[in-house]
Amino acid sequence: MRIGVLTGGGDCPGLNAVIRAVVRKGVSVYGHEFVGFRDGWRGPLEGETMPLDVQSVRGILPRGGTILGSSRTNPIKIDGGVERIKDNLVATGVDALIAIGGEDTLGVAKQLFDKDVNVVGVPKTIDNDLNATDYTFGFDTAVNIATEAIDRLHTTAESHHRALICEVMGRHAGWIALHAGMAGGANVILIPEKPFDIDRVCAYVESRFKTRYAPIIVVAEGAHPIEGQMALQAGELDAFGHVRLGGIGETLAKEIEKRTGKEARTTVLGHIQRGGTPTAFDRVLATRFGLHAIDAVNEGRFGTMVALRGTDVVTVGLDEATKELKTVPVSRYEEAEVFFG
């Protein structure tokens, strides 16, 4: 069997570990042949490929990013996009496709499967917001990077008696903010799932200063205030119709300074969270996902995605994986509120 592999959406620590596991087991155990599609869905859309064999995946386990490249290309929005992909798969002799990506990449995979393309998905996102899997690889790395940043912010905040805000990624899910904020001992954590009260945030800031310590606020990029409290600027839309987020940290800093008279500064971690070498947890999880993905392809279990349930890797339907985002339950967030202030 000739199998295509692609990585779509934002890059993520652990992508190369998946590619390596898929190819090594696929070649050595099953005798399959592989081809890599470049830059996400743009690869099969335009017939852009690269060789993918055991030699090409040597030494890539600890590397961040993806040797295949990535993009946010959405073939569903392109006239005749699906048919072009199907034609290019036939032209390159590809019998099945392994799509490694998040909500959008796997959403396209689901639509292709509905049109008779043999697809197996692998869940990838630092946001940990994919349904049907307990964890996605990349999340642990992002949380560790954000936690280290928060640790460093504590000391400089106290030295300068400033309120420091750390803005993290996560889009419309607050998993990174919640986990990194708890691990880093933040005084306030703001997530998209629960609109925040700016008056309450400022009260926490002032309370923290009274203890002679400086406050650390961790805010997810998609966090937003209770309606009518603060003006927020709308962002542009990407190819999948998502608003480009970012900037809430700076808006929050200005509001805190205006309301409390205390100096506030913002650190936006941005792409630092998704770059660089993956943690050991993410390397192992990504490797296990790759091994199970090639098993699914070999056994003809198409239209599925590999997923972590407890400590086991299982397969679930792509429809279940993409039907809704996995967001932070408010009850989980409220557990952390006892540490605020």
Side-chain angles (χ1 to χ4, degrees):
M1 189 183 297
R2 185 170 167 86
I3 301 166
V5 183
L6 66 83
T7 54
D11 68 312
C12 177
L15 283 167
N16 286 323
V18 179
I19 298 167
R20 171 179 176 269
V22 164
V23 172
R24 286 177 67 95
K25 185 171 186 178
V27 171
S28 64
V29 176
Y30 297 125
H32 295 317
E33 181 183 354
F34 292 87
V35 58
F37 284 103
R38 292 185 179 275
D39 303 334
W41 288 115
R42 190 179 70 80
L45 188 66
E46 300 181 3
E48 290 273 340
T49 65
M50 63 174 281
L52 201 56
D53 54 23
V54 172
Q55 183 59 39
S56 66
V57 300
R58 293 191 190 281
I60 67 172
L61 177 63
R63 283 175 55 182
T66 163
I67 62 170
L68 297 177
S70 191
S71 74
R72 295 193 183 277
T73 302
N74 184 358
I76 307 301
K77 292 285 185 71
I78 298 172
D79 288 341
V82 171
E83 293 307 315
R84 282 170 59 185
I85 287 177
K86 293 177 71 172
D87 290 344
N88 284 328
L89 292 179
V90 172
T92 52
V94 169
D95 304 298
L97 195 60
I98 294 178
I100 311 167
E103 168 200 9
D104 298 322
T105 300
L106 297 182
V108 173
K110 169 64 171 63
Q111 294 189 58
L112 287 173
F113 173 70
D114 290 341
K115 298 190 177 182
D116 302 319
V117 176
N118 294 330
V119 184
V120 168
V122 176
K124 171 253 21 160
T125 170
I126 66 169
D127 304 334
N128 200 41
D129 61 357
L130 261 172
N131 199 38
T133 184
D134 291 347
Y135 286 99
T136 54
F137 67 88
F139 173 67
D140 186 70
T141 302
V143 169
N144 274 274
I145 290 169
T147 301
E148 182 180 352
I150 295 164
D151 289 345
R152 293 174 181 273
L153 289 175
H154 273 292
T155 57
T156 190
E158 290 164 14
S159 297
H160 293 278
H161 311 293
R162 290 172 175 161
L164 290 187
I165 299 162
C166 182
E167 182 182 313
V168 300
M169 285 182 164
R171 297 201 58 78
H172 301 294
W175 293 107
I176 295 176
L178 180 62
H179 282 238
M182 290 182 68
N187 308 110
V188 181
I189 302 169
L190 306 177
I191 63 173
E193 292 86 345
K194 186 173 182 179
F196 61 85
D197 182 338
I198 186 60
D199 292 325
R200 193 176 180 197
V201 171
C202 290
Y204 281 135
V205 168
E206 292 177 322
S207 173
R208 179 69 172 174
F209 275 120
K210 287 178 182 177
T211 67
R212 301 188 64 81
Y213 286 94
I216 301 292
I217 300 166
V218 176
V219 56
E221 61 184 354
H224 53 92
I226 294 170
E227 189 173 352
Q229 283 197 339
M230 293 165 53
L232 299 179
Q233 187 173 356
E236 299 176 352
L237 300 181
D238 65 15
F240 287 90
H242 300 306
V243 175
R244 290 192 173 94
L245 298 170
I248 182 62
E250 193 59 39
T251 301
L252 193 60
K254 292 176 181 176
E255 199 70 22
I256 288 172
E257 285 192 342
K258 183 174 72 175
R259 289 170 178 255
T260 69
K262 304 294 186 181
E263 195 174 4
R265 293 288 185 272
T266 301
T267 298
V268 181
L269 295 186
H271 290 79
I272 291 173
Q273 295 157 95
R274 67 184 335 137
T277 188
T279 60
F281 179 89
D282 279 341
R283 296 184 201 191
V284 172
L285 180 58
T287 297
R288 293 183 70 200
F289 277 169
L291 297 176
H292 282 263
I294 191 60
D295 287 344
V297 170
N298 191 68
E299 295 164 12
R301 288 183 278 125
F302 301 116
T304 63
M305 179 191 83
V306 294
L308 184 69
R309 295 283 179 85
T311 58
D312 296 326
V313 176
V314 300
T315 53
V316 298
L318 280 171
D319 53 348
E320 181 184 355
T322 58
K323 67 180 179 182
E324 61 184 355
L325 286 180
K326 182 184 70 180
T327 55
V328 176
V330 173
S331 60
R332 181 88 62 92
Y333 176 73
E334 289 173 345
E335 290 175 357
E337 287 189 295
V338 68
F339 297 106
F340 289 7

